[in-house]
Amino acid sequence: MDVIEAILTRRSIRKYKSAEVEESKVHMLLEAAFMAPSAGNQQPWHFILVKNRKLLNEIADRHPYAKMLYEAPLAIERYQGRWVLDCSASIENILLAARGLDLGTVWIGIHPDNERIGILRDILHIPADIHPHSLIAVGYPDEEKGKVDRFKPERIHKDLW
Ligand SMILES: Cc1cc2nc3c(=O)[nH]c(=O)nc-3n(C[C@H](O)[C@H](O)[C@H](O)COP(=O)(O)O)c2cc1C
């Protein structure tokens, strides 16, 4: 899929088929994630691939907006060493790469909500010096989402505000 098409058609997918995501596709998502730009090229990220059904259910039980993990075959947990911005760029790379591989994803917010950070630390045994940033649910889509138009010409400023 063309990169512009992937950007314009990516939507949050919260219903998934039961099929596993192939290891080769998971690897491509991670390659995309690691290629993200980062301030000073610090690449401050680590990723946890969560496939264990018990862990996925536990996160869904305790995170108020992660119920899709009851169905998703995979979640990618993103850590932030120092730069929230770097990690966000890397997540967007994963979402777009997944779209290009016919996978559905949704970004599940963790940082800066201290309660959610605590829940993830507890369930995934994340050390105190590592800061959980976000979760991404990944699976084959079991819902169709149309293309939306969010283009707002009034939000575009030329030269000066
Ligand atoms: C930082 C961030 C946190 C988000 N957290 C959640 C979440 O916890 N649960 C969820 O279902 N969607 C979450 N989303 C997805 C947004 O709800 C979604 O992107 C938005 O409604 C636009 O819809 P679209 O992704 O289909 O274009 C999050 C998105 C971002 C960028």
Side-chain angles (χ1 to χ4, degrees):
M1 185 186 293
D2 171 73
V3 69
I4 297 296
E5 193 190 343
I7 291 169
L8 294 182
T9 59
R10 182 220 53 83
R11 299 293 315 280
S12 293
I13 298 297
R14 299 183 177 86
K15 292 183 192 306
Y16 311 96
K17 296 183 172 141
S18 56
E20 289 267 315
V21 179
E22 297 88 333
E23 285 302 320
S24 57
K25 290 197 174 181
V26 174
H27 186 79
M28 287 182 83
L29 297 184
L30 291 169
E31 276 197 42
F34 280 113
M35 269 311 292
S38 59
N41 199 20
Q42 289 296 296
Q43 306 172 41
W45 37 63
H46 289 246
F47 305 88
I48 303 179
L49 301 175
V50 187
K51 281 188 176 178
N52 180 300
R53 178 44 50 206
K54 189 168 161 287
L55 293 174
L56 291 169
N57 288 352
E58 200 175 340
I59 298 169
D61 285 343
R62 294 173 64 183
H63 188 299
Y65 305 110
K67 304 305 170 206
M68 70 294 286
L69 291 180
Y70 287 127
E71 280 182 23
L74 172 70
I76 302 177
E77 162 62 20
R78 286 281 291 97
Y79 289 140
Q80 159 306 44
R82 285 169 72 182
W83 290 291
V84 175
L85 300 173
D86 299 342
C87 291
S88 301
S90 156
I91 291 170
E92 185 67 6
N93 269 16
I94 293 177
L95 303 188
L96 294 177
R99 175 74 189 126
L101 294 169
D102 296 323
L103 293 167
T105 55
V106 58
W107 182 334
I108 302 168
I110 303 296
H111 175 89
D113 184 305
N114 282 330
E115 190 186 346
R116 295 182 199 173
I117 290 168
I119 290 168
L120 265 287
R121 273 196 203 295
D122 183 34
I123 297 175
L124 300 180
H125 300 180
I126 297 167
D129 60 336
I130 299 291
H131 194 101
H133 178 281
S134 294
L135 274 167
I136 308 161
V138 186
Y140 281 97
D142 200 18
E143 64 175 339
E144 298 236 346
K145 289 250 182 114
K147 198 168 161 181
V148 287
D149 184 359
R150 292 178 182 148
F151 192 81
K152 292 190 174 67
E154 70 278 13
R155 298 273 186 99
I156 301 169
H157 309 268
K158 294 193 174 152
D159 287 334
L160 303 176
W161 181 274

